[in-house]
Amino acid sequence: MPSAKSSPASDNQDAKRPKRIADQVADQILEKIADGIFLPGDRLPGERQLAESMKVSRVSVRAALQKLKTRGYLRAVQGGGTEILSSTGIDMDTAMTDLVRDSINNLRDLQEIRCTLETWAARRAAINASDEDIKLLRLAFRQAHDPRRAAKYRADDDHRLHMMIGRATGSIIYYHVMKMLHDVLQAALTEIRFNSMSGPSFDRMVQDHHRDIIEAIAARDPDAAEKAMSNHLQAVLDFFKTASDKQAT
């Protein structure tokens, strides 16, 4: 009686079977993300442009994008388009965001973790930042601290400036890690800038610190950039500790 078990020859044939076009397109997009051509937060080119550049049909591109959305690499953007989430396909657990939003102690823990990550980033940015990176950092600073800008944008602007520092490091790994934490950091910054520590004196302190960080990066001074970022995040952490002590009493 013939065995139902597949032969080595058939296994080899399966291994050599070419991937579907949509799978090949998905692999190419992932390669561009891994190589830093597409970064988290970037919008992908439109379906037509992707199809033309890869010499495939729009149907194949659409299927590839849907596959990557399902796996957590991409997401649809309101108003049209597709945004890159991360190179890992991991979407951060909303429960973690809730933990940060609901507890001053959890906010403090996240801030301590940021101190470790972002002081490294400031130092690396001072070494690797291009002239264009510095130009964009200064532009982000002016936008974040424009007195005419509505207060509701504070958290978004703050987060964008810190992400620009991350981009200036030249480290794809660091940028992806920070982008994976996007929702958690956004919740933390919203809590910081609107609830726990809102007020003119805090805003002035943040503005001064941001200026010191960016000017140290622009001066290509790694030690000063690291120190400026450490001073900034430690000052915010001190505010957290004060708020936490008040909450406990």
Side-chain angles (χ1 to χ4, degrees):
M1 183 176 178
S3 170
K5 188 176 180 180
S6 62
S7 67
S10 65
D11 287 342
N12 288 337
Q13 288 175 352
D14 288 341
K16 293 177 182 178
R17 184 173 297 160
K19 287 185 177 181
R20 292 189 314 126
I21 299 298
D23 292 335
Q24 294 177 37
V25 171
D27 288 345
Q28 288 183 51
I29 292 172
L30 288 179
E31 285 176 12
K32 291 179 184 295
I33 295 172
D35 290 342
I37 297 170
F38 297 146
L39 289 172
D42 288 348
R43 287 199 183 193
L44 284 177
E47 287 181 6
R48 178 180 298 175
Q49 188 176 344
L50 286 172
E52 290 175 354
S53 66
M54 296 181 178
K55 296 180 172 55
V56 297
S57 70
R58 291 182 67 178
V59 173
S60 295
V61 169
R62 194 173 301 123
L65 296 180
Q66 185 55 49
K67 176 182 179 179
L68 295 177
K69 288 174 187 174
T70 301
R71 293 170 61 187
Y73 293 99
L74 309 174
R75 68 178 171 191
V77 179
Q78 187 175 5
T82 305
E83 182 185 43
I84 297 160
L85 284 175
S86 77
S87 63
T88 63
I90 299 171
D91 194 7
M92 292 304 294
D93 189 349
T94 55
M96 184 175 175
T97 302
D98 290 340
L99 287 172
V100 168
R101 185 181 292 115
D102 295 340
S103 167
I104 193 73
N105 289 325
N106 291 339
L107 272 171
R108 184 179 63 189
D109 288 347
L110 179 61
Q111 193 68 13
E112 289 176 350
I113 293 168
R114 285 185 66 196
C115 285
T116 300
L117 290 172
E118 296 197 50
T119 51
W120 176 90
R123 183 177 191 86
R124 179 66 70 90
I127 296 170
N128 291 339
S130 66
D131 291 342
E132 181 66 15
D133 287 328
I134 292 169
K135 178 182 176 181
L136 292 174
L137 276 171
R138 285 180 165 149
L139 181 63
F141 173 83
R142 288 196 297 271
Q143 178 175 298
H145 298 291
D146 185 341
R148 299 165 298 178
R149 191 158 169 81
K152 65 181 180 180
Y153 296 119
R154 279 194 198 119
D156 287 338
D157 291 343
D158 198 322
H159 184 64
R160 186 177 301 108
L161 190 150
H162 280 266
M163 289 302 295
M164 291 300 301
I165 294 171
R167 184 184 285 259
T169 66
S171 170
I172 297 169
I173 295 299
Y174 175 82
Y175 195 83
H176 280 299
V177 168
M178 294 302 286
K179 196 64 184 179
M180 285 169 58
L181 289 169
H182 175 274
D183 290 344
V184 180
L185 291 173
Q186 194 77 354
L189 286 168
T190 300
E191 177 65 26
I192 293 168
R193 301 306 298 272
F194 284 105
N195 299 326
S196 301
M197 305 168 195
S198 59
S201 61
F202 183 81
D203 290 343
R204 282 194 298 272
M205 181 194 77
V206 170
Q207 180 174 354
D208 290 343
H209 289 174
H210 282 169
R211 183 185 296 107
D212 291 344
I213 294 164
I214 292 169
E215 291 309 313
I217 292 172
R220 319 290 185 182
D221 188 335
D223 291 338
E226 181 178 10
K227 186 173 186 296
M229 181 65 82
S230 178
N231 288 344
H232 171 51
L233 296 176
Q234 188 59 51
V236 177
L237 185 57
D238 289 342
F239 270 89
F240 275 132
K241 289 177 179 176
T242 300
S244 180
D245 290 343
K246 288 181 179 178
Q247 192 179 74
T249 58

